[in-house]
């Protein structure tokens, strides 16, 4: 029994203590049932992901134009009142970049500098770990002006399957080309000499707002509260990719509204009004 409950029950009049203990007895059973149901839900979620994840390869092959759609894949054309005359491999240019820019959450995290890089985003995939709870996001980029062709990853690792949040989050180290690191910016400021009153221009390197902070190691944030807040946000963002962004990508690409898109990211409207989301570390 929770020590807080124990101490609180001891403060009740002696005649009421057995009543409180009896109530807590049934609440403990309630909590146990909740845990059992939650475990079954997680098992079903894992089973679901294992069944749908292989579909990503087929989807991305069609997006990239690596193959033409099959007869079975377009058999529902009549439902869309579309007459199919010529079936060829036809890639959707900037598909995933457009998805991320149109999404109401990730769109707020993408800077102008990011947009050019995301034109070279070829695919976004999720891989499930052996324990059914670990997962990895994989962003495949072709060669671009900022870094060579590569796959950037964000890994979520649960050391205990009962944990609500991952114990570790690992991101790829991006090998930026010379002078092309958009996560940093040079800011010019004036510095005044207290004794002489003279001023001089100095240059200082600061973090620049960009989606690519998502791949940085959160453990490097010095402030513990900020680190925890950022870990929670990164995990929620990763979960959003798995549960919403990837499976609803075509809707978003076409500019359609996805129901409940931001349910996991609701906050105080008064506090957030006029403020953009950011992955930039303080």
């Amino acid at each position: 029994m929770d020590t807080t409950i124990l101490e609180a029950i001891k403060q009740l009049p002696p005649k009421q203590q057995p009543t409180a203990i009896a109530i807590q007895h049934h609440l403990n059973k309630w909590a146990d049932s909740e845990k059992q149901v939650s475990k079954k839900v997680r098992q079903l979620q894992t089973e679901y992901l294992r069944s749908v994840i292989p579909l990503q390869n087929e989807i991305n092959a069609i997006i990239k134009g690596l193959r033409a759609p099959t007869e079975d894949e377009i058999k529902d054309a009549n439902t869309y009142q579309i007459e199919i005359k010529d079936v060829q491999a036809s890639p959707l240019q900037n598909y995933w970049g457009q998805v991320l820019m149109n999404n109401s959450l990730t769109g707020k995290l993408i800077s102008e500098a990011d947009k050019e890089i995301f034109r070279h985003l070829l695919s976004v995939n999720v891989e499930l770990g052996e324990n059914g709870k670990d997962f990895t996001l994989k962003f495949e980029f072709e060669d671009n002006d900022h870094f060579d062709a590569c796959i950037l990853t964000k890994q979520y690792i649960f050391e205990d399957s009962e944990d609500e949040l991952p114990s570790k989050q690992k991101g790829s180290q991006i090998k930026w080309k010379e002078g092309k690191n958009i996560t940093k910016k040079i800011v010019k400021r004036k510095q005044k000499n207290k004794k002489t009153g003279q001023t001089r221009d100095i240059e200082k390197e600061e973090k620049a707002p960009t989606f690519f902070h998502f791949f940085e190691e959160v453990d490097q944030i010095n402030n513990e509260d900020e680190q925890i807040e950022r870990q929670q946000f990164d995990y929620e963002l990763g979960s959003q990719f798995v549960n919403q962004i990837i499976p609803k990508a075509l809707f978003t690409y076409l500019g359609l509204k996805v129901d409940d898109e931001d349910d996991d990211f609701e906050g105080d409207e008064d506090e957030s009004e006029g403020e953009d989301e950011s992955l930039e570390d303080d």
Side-chain angles (χ1 to χ4, degrees):
M1 188 181 294
D2 190 296
T3 55
T4 305
I5 292 290
L6 285 171
E7 293 302 320
I9 290 177
K10 288 179 180 178
Q11 303 305 314
L12 292 173
K15 289 184 178 180
Q16 295 180 2
Q17 290 177 4
T19 302
I21 292 172
I23 293 170
Q24 186 58 40
H25 170 77
H26 290 286
L27 291 179
N28 287 339
K29 287 186 175 181
W30 188 315
D32 288 340
S33 295
E34 185 178 15
K35 286 180 182 178
Q36 291 173 13
V37 170
S38 296
K39 186 176 181 180
K40 290 179 181 178
V41 169
R42 287 197 299 271
Q43 290 172 343
L44 286 172
Q45 176 75 357
T46 299
E47 185 179 332
Y48 152 72
L49 287 174
R50 290 200 190 283
S51 68
V52 299
I53 281 177
L55 300 176
Q56 295 175 119
N57 294 331
E58 301 302 327
I59 291 170
N60 282 310
I62 299 169
I63 292 169
K64 295 176 185 178
L66 298 179
R67 67 169 178 81
T70 65
E71 195 173 313
D72 183 63
E73 289 169 342
I74 59 173
K75 66 183 180 182
D76 295 329
N78 290 336
T79 304
Y80 300 96
Q81 297 182 335
I82 295 175
E83 183 180 357
I84 304 295
K85 294 182 178 180
D86 185 22
V87 182
Q88 297 181 2
S90 181
L92 293 179
Q93 300 296 331
N94 194 28
Y95 178 86
W96 284 107
Q98 199 62 51
V99 167
L100 298 188
M101 284 186 278
N102 286 352
N103 181 270
S104 60
L105 172 64
T106 54
K108 297 175 184 178
L109 305 174
I110 295 174
S111 68
E112 285 300 316
D114 290 336
K115 290 180 181 179
E116 177 56 36
I117 301 177
F118 277 121
R119 295 183 194 279
H120 302 278
L121 180 59
L122 298 176
S123 67
V124 180
N125 288 330
V126 59
E127 288 186 354
L128 204 59
E130 290 296 325
N131 64 3
K133 199 162 184 183
D134 295 352
F135 66 94
T136 301
L137 297 176
K138 302 176 72 173
F139 298 74
E140 179 190 4
F141 289 88
E142 63 184 354
D143 189 27
N144 57 81
D145 290 339
H146 291 78
F147 47 79
D148 294 329
C150 66
I151 294 178
L152 300 180
T153 62
K154 182 78 172 189
Q155 229 178 340
Y156 299 88
I157 301 169
F158 292 81
E159 292 182 349
D160 188 337
S161 60
E162 299 299 320
D163 289 344
E164 292 297 322
L165 293 173
S167 52
K168 294 180 183 177
Q169 297 183 36
K170 297 181 179 180
S172 291
Q173 184 175 1
I174 305 174
K175 296 180 181 179
W176 298 97
K177 293 181 180 179
E178 185 67 30
K180 295 294 185 176
N181 188 345
I182 63 171
T183 66
K184 299 176 182 179
K185 61 182 177 180
I186 302 298
V187 178
K188 291 184 178 181
R189 292 182 178 175
K190 290 191 177 293
Q191 187 180 63
K192 186 175 183 180
N193 188 303
K194 293 181 180 180
K195 293 182 179 180
T196 65
Q198 292 181 325
T199 60
R200 64 173 181 173
D201 291 329
I202 61 169
E203 292 185 346
K204 185 179 180 181
E205 187 177 81
E206 294 183 352
K207 282 185 174 289
T210 168
F211 179 89
F212 288 91
H213 288 302
F214 179 59
F215 299 102
E216 295 174 350
E217 296 295 336
V218 180
D219 293 343
Q220 296 178 2
I221 301 175
N222 295 326
N223 185 290
E224 185 177 354
D225 290 338
E226 290 175 6
Q227 186 182 114
I228 293 172
E229 184 179 351
R230 175 61 188 279
Q231 286 173 334
Q232 290 174 335
F233 180 83
D234 278 13
Y235 175 58
E236 289 171 352
L237 179 55
S239 299
Q240 191 82 342
F241 267 97
V242 176
N243 300 319
Q244 190 70 261
I245 297 175
I246 294 176
K248 299 291 184 180
L250 183 60
F251 286 82
T252 312
Y253 172 77
L254 296 173
L256 302 176
K257 171 73 175 151
V258 177
D259 293 339
D260 303 325
E261 196 170 73
D262 288 327
D263 275 1
D264 292 337
F265 293 86
E266 291 179 353
D268 191 319
E269 292 182 3
D270 294 334
E271 290 182 4
S272 61
E273 186 176 355
E275 294 182 2
D276 289 337
E277 298 279 0
S278 176
L279 281 175
E280 183 180 356
D281 301 334
D282 294 330

